[in-house]
Amino acid sequence: MHAPETSAMTEMTPVTDTNANAANAEAPKKMVLPDAQTVTAVKHWTDRLFSFRVTRPASLRFRSGEFVMIGLMGDPHPETGKQKPLLRAYSIASPSWDEELEFYSIKVQDGPLTSKLQHIKVGDQIILRPKPVGTLVHDALLPGKRIWFFATGTGFAPFASLLREPQTYEDYDEVIITHTCREAGELQYGAELIESLKDDELLNEVIGEGFWKKIKYYPTTTREESAKMGRITDLMRSGEAFADLGVEPLNAETDRAMICGNLAFNLELKEMLEDYGLEEGANSDPKHYVVEKAFLD
């Protein structure tokens, strides 16, 4: 975050030894963000979506799929001038081994946080509370043969982390990722990430050459014309999704699932998975599937 406008004019003003004390006494102090991390990269994917990377606190340990609270300082109070941190839960899109932290965000023009966050640039600072939590972790699932990642919109973020997590490929023979968005351009972040795995020398060395062949990627759109149209839930009900993927419908013996999307999607898919015989798990009680309750697209 940039310094408050009241102090901007004094930040770069040189002072001599003789007037330094006077200048310092008059100049407002530059605000230091609590739990500040520095932005290292920003990419705008569409007029609604962007991703960014920030420095990682040396003490931060997290499991791929977890989220943290990030944000900026809110506007000054009209009477007191005081500012409070404006924080939201964001899934960490980078894997647990990455030296930096990546996030994938929607832009809401009148949103309290994203209306500001979408304008960050390299070198700016954000607030990052280093206390990761979340349900989309391998520990919350029983062993299985096939893992399904179900995402809508920016709900792809935790799976961006898990798709680069070696344990995902150690635990499962097959990794299916479905991503449903309104428009084709909104699929680009996920599509490019999955494609990049083929040429990721580090992951191919650590996990095993060709590990990415375990992935089956199933992107769909609901508004703009694309190679596959429709909501994933409708495509599953009709059997079209399973036919396209060349797999059997889910069953509790072999399949595990993680869900991260808008609230209506989460509830609908939860009901469907229960109908398939899968039970919802948690960190303290591993079962067949988990849902990220903190995410709202």
Side-chain angles (χ1 to χ4, degrees):
M1 179 179 175
H2 290 294
E5 292 181 2
T6 52
S7 65
M9 62 179 181
T10 65
E11 279 181 8
M12 302 302 295
T13 304
V15 292
T16 63
D17 291 339
T18 55
N19 67 6
N21 291 336
N24 288 339
E26 295 173 6
K29 291 182 179 179
K30 180 180 177 180
M31 180 172 56
V32 177
L33 288 180
D35 297 315
Q37 296 301 320
T38 303
V39 177
T40 61
V42 181
K43 182 166 183 176
H44 294 269
W45 298 89
T46 72
D47 58 0
R48 295 183 67 245
L49 299 167
F50 71 108
S51 61
F52 58 98
R53 293 174 68 85
V54 303
T55 53
R56 176 175 177 169
S59 61
L60 177 63
R61 298 288 180 270
F62 71 95
R63 296 173 294 176
S64 294
E66 290 188 312
F67 66 86
V68 289
M69 302 297 290
I70 67 171
L72 298 168
M73 296 302 290
D75 293 330
H77 188 280
E79 295 178 4
T80 64
K82 291 184 178 180
Q83 293 174 272
K84 292 182 179 180
L86 193 58
L87 304 172
R88 295 288 184 272
Y90 268 75
S91 293
I92 303 173
S94 47
S96 60
W97 51 264
D98 202 321
E99 293 180 355
E100 294 184 334
L101 299 176
E102 182 179 335
F103 298 97
Y104 184 43
S105 178
I106 194 169
K107 305 175 188 179
V108 180
Q109 299 311 319
D110 58 353
L113 176 58
T114 61
S115 61
K116 296 179 174 64
L117 194 62
Q118 64 183 291
H119 300 297
I120 58 171
K121 295 179 175 63
V122 172
D124 288 350
Q125 290 188 335
I126 68 162
I127 303 167
L128 190 150
R129 295 283 163 81
K131 295 180 180 178
V133 291
T135 55
L136 299 186
V137 292
H138 288 305
D139 294 344
L141 296 175
L142 294 169
K145 293 184 178 179
R146 184 168 61 186
I147 180 79
W148 292 76
F149 296 144
F150 294 104
T152 64
T154 53
F156 189 91
F159 305 133
S161 175
L162 287 157
L163 285 168
R164 290 178 280 184
E165 170 56 54
Q167 187 181 346
T168 300
Y169 306 94
E170 294 167 7
D171 289 357
Y172 299 98
D173 299 329
E174 202 166 25
V175 180
I176 300 176
I177 170 93
T178 79
H179 191 198
T180 300
C181 295
R182 300 174 190 176
E183 301 170 1
E186 296 173 349
L187 296 167
Q188 188 181 357
Y189 173 80
E192 286 194 13
L193 186 146
I194 290 171
E195 186 65 24
S196 73
L197 297 178
K198 299 177 182 179
D199 301 316
D200 192 311
E201 293 182 5
L202 176 62
L203 286 178
N204 275 281
E205 181 180 339
V206 172
I207 302 173
E209 197 70 36
F211 74 93
W212 46 270
K213 294 177 182 177
K214 288 187 174 185
I215 300 172
K216 289 190 174 183
Y217 174 48
Y218 197 66
T220 70
T221 57
T222 57
R223 292 188 185 177
E224 186 181 0
E225 193 73 28
S226 69
K228 176 59 65 173
M229 299 283 294
R231 300 165 72 245
I232 184 61
T233 45
D234 292 337
L235 294 166
M236 289 168 66
R237 282 195 190 90
S238 69
E240 191 174 339
F242 303 119
D244 289 341
L245 288 163
V247 300
E248 295 294 318
L250 287 82
N251 74 78
E253 291 296 315
T254 57
D255 292 283
R256 303 295 174 259
M258 295 185 180
I259 306 170
C260 191
N262 61 65
L263 185 58
F265 171 78
N266 289 357
L267 294 174
E268 184 179 6
L269 202 45
K270 265 172 60 79
E271 188 174 334
M272 289 182 69
L273 294 185
E274 297 281 347
D275 289 341
Y276 285 121
L278 278 65
E279 297 179 37
E280 185 173 1
N283 279 276
S284 59
D285 185 21
K287 290 289 179 63
H288 308 117
Y289 79 91
V290 286
V291 183
E292 187 51 86
K293 298 176 178 65
F295 175 78
L296 290 177
D297 185 18

Coordinates of all heavy atoms in Angstrom, one line a residue, residues 29-59:
K29 N 4.3 11.0 10.2 CA 5.0 9.7 10.1 C 4.3 8.9 9.0 O 3.1 8.8 8.9 CB 4.9 9.0 11.4 CG 5.8 9.6 12.5 CD 5.7 8.7 13.8 CE 6.6 9.4 14.9 NZ 6.5 8.5 16.1
K30 N 5.2 8.2 8.2 CA 4.7 7.3 7.2 C 4.1 6.1 8.0 O 4.8 5.5 8.8 CB 5.8 6.9 6.3 CG 5.3 5.9 5.2 CD 6.5 5.5 4.3 CE 6.1 4.5 3.3 NZ 7.1 4.1 2.4
M31 N 2.9 5.7 7.6 CA 2.3 4.6 8.3 C 2.9 3.2 7.9 O 3.2 3.0 6.7 CB 0.8 4.5 7.9 CG 0.0 3.4 8.5 SD -1.7 3.5 8.2 CE -1.7 3.5 6.4
V32 N 3.2 2.4 8.9 CA 3.8 1.1 8.6 C 2.7 0.1 8.8 O 2.0 0.0 9.8 CB 4.9 0.8 9.6 CG1 5.4 -0.6 9.4 CG2 6.0 1.8 9.5
L33 N 2.4 -0.7 7.7 CA 1.4 -1.7 7.8 C 1.7 -2.8 8.8 O 2.8 -3.2 8.8 CB 1.1 -2.3 6.4 CG 0.5 -1.4 5.3 CD1 0.3 -2.2 4.1 CD2 -0.9 -0.9 5.8
P34 N 0.7 -3.3 9.5 CA 0.9 -4.4 10.4 C 1.0 -5.7 9.5 O 0.3 -5.8 8.5 CB -0.4 -4.5 11.2 CG -1.4 -3.8 10.4 CD -0.7 -2.8 9.6
D35 N 1.9 -6.6 9.9 CA 2.1 -7.8 9.1 C 2.3 -7.6 7.6 O 1.7 -8.2 6.8 CB 0.9 -8.8 9.3 CG 0.8 -9.2 10.8 OD1 1.8 -9.6 11.4 OD2 -0.4 -9.2 11.3
A36 N 3.1 -6.6 7.3 CA 3.2 -6.2 5.9 C 4.1 -7.1 5.1 O 5.1 -7.7 5.6 CB 3.9 -4.8 5.8
Q37 N 3.6 -7.4 3.8 CA 4.4 -8.1 2.9 C 4.4 -7.3 1.6 O 3.5 -6.6 1.3 CB 3.8 -9.5 2.6 CG 3.8 -10.4 3.8 CD 5.2 -10.6 4.4 OE1 6.2 -10.8 3.6 NE2 5.3 -10.6 5.7
T38 N 5.5 -7.5 0.8 CA 5.7 -6.7 -0.4 C 5.2 -7.4 -1.7 O 5.5 -8.6 -1.9 CB 7.2 -6.3 -0.6 OG1 7.6 -5.6 0.6 CG2 7.4 -5.4 -1.8
V39 N 4.5 -6.7 -2.5 CA 4.0 -7.3 -3.8 C 5.2 -7.4 -4.8 O 6.0 -6.5 -5.0 CB 2.9 -6.3 -4.4 CG1 2.5 -6.9 -5.8 CG2 1.8 -6.2 -3.5
T40 N 5.3 -8.6 -5.3 CA 6.5 -8.9 -6.2 C 6.0 -9.1 -7.7 O 6.8 -9.0 -8.6 CB 7.2 -10.2 -5.8 OG1 6.3 -11.3 -5.8 CG2 7.8 -10.0 -4.4
A41 N 4.7 -9.3 -7.9 CA 4.2 -9.5 -9.3 C 2.7 -9.3 -9.3 O 2.0 -9.7 -8.3 CB 4.6 -10.9 -9.8
V42 N 2.2 -8.8 -10.4 CA 0.8 -8.6 -10.6 C 0.4 -8.9 -12.0 O 1.1 -8.5 -12.9 CB 0.3 -7.2 -10.3 CG1 -1.2 -7.0 -10.4 CG2 0.7 -6.7 -8.9
K43 N -0.7 -9.7 -12.2 CA -1.1 -10.0 -13.6 C -2.6 -9.9 -13.7 O -3.3 -10.5 -12.9 CB -0.7 -11.3 -14.1 CG -1.1 -11.6 -15.5 CD -0.4 -12.8 -16.1 CE -0.7 -13.0 -17.6 NZ 0.0 -14.2 -18.2
H44 N -3.1 -9.1 -14.6 CA -4.6 -8.9 -14.8 C -5.0 -9.8 -15.9 O -4.5 -9.7 -17.1 CB -4.9 -7.5 -15.1 CG -4.6 -6.5 -13.9 ND1 -5.6 -6.2 -13.0 CD2 -3.5 -5.9 -13.6 CE1 -5.1 -5.4 -12.1 NE2 -3.8 -5.2 -12.4
W45 N -5.9 -10.8 -15.6 CA -6.3 -11.8 -16.6 C -7.5 -11.3 -17.4 O -7.6 -11.6 -18.6 CB -6.6 -13.1 -15.8 CG -5.4 -13.7 -15.1 CD1 -5.0 -13.4 -13.9 CD2 -4.4 -14.5 -15.7 NE1 -3.8 -14.1 -13.6 CE2 -3.5 -14.8 -14.7 CE3 -4.3 -15.2 -17.0 CZ2 -2.4 -15.6 -14.9 CZ3 -3.2 -16.0 -17.2 CH2 -2.2 -16.2 -16.2
T46 N -8.4 -10.7 -16.7 CA -9.6 -10.1 -17.4 C -10.0 -8.8 -16.6 O -9.3 -8.5 -15.7 CB -10.8 -11.1 -17.4 OG1 -11.4 -11.1 -16.0 CG2 -10.5 -12.5 -17.8
D47 N -11.0 -8.2 -17.1 CA -11.4 -7.0 -16.3 C -12.1 -7.3 -15.0 O -12.4 -6.5 -14.2 CB -12.4 -6.1 -17.2 CG -13.6 -6.9 -17.6 OD1 -13.8 -8.1 -17.2 OD2 -14.5 -6.3 -18.3
R48 N -12.2 -8.6 -14.7 CA -12.8 -9.1 -13.4 C -11.8 -9.9 -12.6 O -12.1 -10.2 -11.4 CB -14.0 -9.9 -13.7 CG -15.2 -9.2 -14.3 CD -16.4 -10.1 -14.5 NE -17.0 -10.5 -13.2 CZ -17.0 -11.7 -12.7 NH1 -16.5 -12.7 -13.4 NH2 -17.5 -12.0 -11.5
L49 N -10.7 -10.3 -13.1 CA -9.8 -11.2 -12.4 C -8.3 -10.8 -12.5 O -7.9 -10.4 -13.6 CB -10.0 -12.7 -13.0 CG -11.3 -13.3 -12.9 CD1 -11.4 -14.5 -13.8 CD2 -11.7 -13.7 -11.5
F50 N -7.6 -11.0 -11.4 CA -6.2 -10.7 -11.4 C -5.5 -11.6 -10.4 O -6.2 -12.2 -9.5 CB -5.9 -9.3 -11.1 CG -6.1 -8.8 -9.7 CD1 -5.1 -8.5 -8.8 CD2 -7.4 -8.7 -9.2 CE1 -5.3 -8.1 -7.5 CE2 -7.7 -8.2 -7.9 CZ -6.6 -7.9 -7.1
S51 N -4.2 -11.8 -10.6 CA -3.4 -12.6 -9.6 C -2.2 -11.8 -9.2 O -1.8 -10.9 -9.9 CB -3.0 -14.0 -10.2 OG -2.2 -13.8 -11.3
F52 N -1.7 -12.1 -8.1 CA -0.5 -11.4 -7.6 C 0.3 -12.2 -6.7 O -0.2 -13.2 -6.1 CB -0.9 -10.0 -6.9 CG -1.8 -10.2 -5.7 CD1 -1.3 -10.2 -4.4 CD2 -3.2 -10.3 -5.9 CE1 -2.1 -10.3 -3.3 CE2 -4.0 -10.4 -4.8 CZ -3.5 -10.4 -3.5
R53 N 1.6 -11.9 -6.6 CA 2.5 -12.6 -5.7 C 3.1 -11.6 -4.7 O 3.3 -10.5 -5.0 CB 3.6 -13.3 -6.5 CG 3.1 -14.5 -7.4 CD 4.2 -15.0 -8.2 NE 5.2 -15.7 -7.5 CZ 5.1 -17.0 -7.1 NH1 4.1 -17.7 -7.4 NH2 6.1 -17.6 -6.4
V54 N 3.4 -12.1 -3.5 CA 4.0 -11.3 -2.4 C 5.1 -12.1 -1.7 O 5.2 -13.3 -1.9 CB 2.9 -10.8 -1.4 CG1 1.8 -10.1 -2.0 CG2 2.4 -12.0 -0.6
T55 N 5.9 -11.3 -1.0 CA 6.9 -12.0 -0.2 C 6.3 -12.9 0.9 O 5.1 -12.7 1.3 CB 7.8 -11.0 0.5 OG1 7.0 -10.0 1.2 CG2 8.6 -10.2 -0.5
R56 N 7.0 -13.9 1.3 CA 6.5 -14.9 2.3 C 7.2 -14.7 3.6 O 8.4 -14.6 3.7 CB 6.7 -16.3 1.8 CG 6.3 -17.4 2.8 CD 6.4 -18.8 2.1 NE 6.1 -19.8 3.1 CZ 6.0 -21.1 2.8 NH1 6.1 -21.5 1.5 NH2 5.7 -22.0 3.7
P57 N 6.4 -14.5 4.7 CA 7.0 -14.4 6.0 C 7.9 -15.6 6.3 O 7.5 -16.7 6.0 CB 5.9 -14.3 7.0 CG 4.7 -13.9 6.1 CD 4.9 -14.5 4.8
A58 N 9.1 -15.4 6.8 CA 10.0 -16.5 7.1 C 9.4 -17.5 8.0 O 9.7 -18.7 7.9 CB 11.3 -15.9 7.7
S59 N 8.5 -17.1 8.9 CA 8.0 -18.0 9.9 C 6.7 -18.8 9.4 O 6.2 -19.6 10.1 CB 7.6 -17.3 11.2 OG 6.7 -16.3 10.9

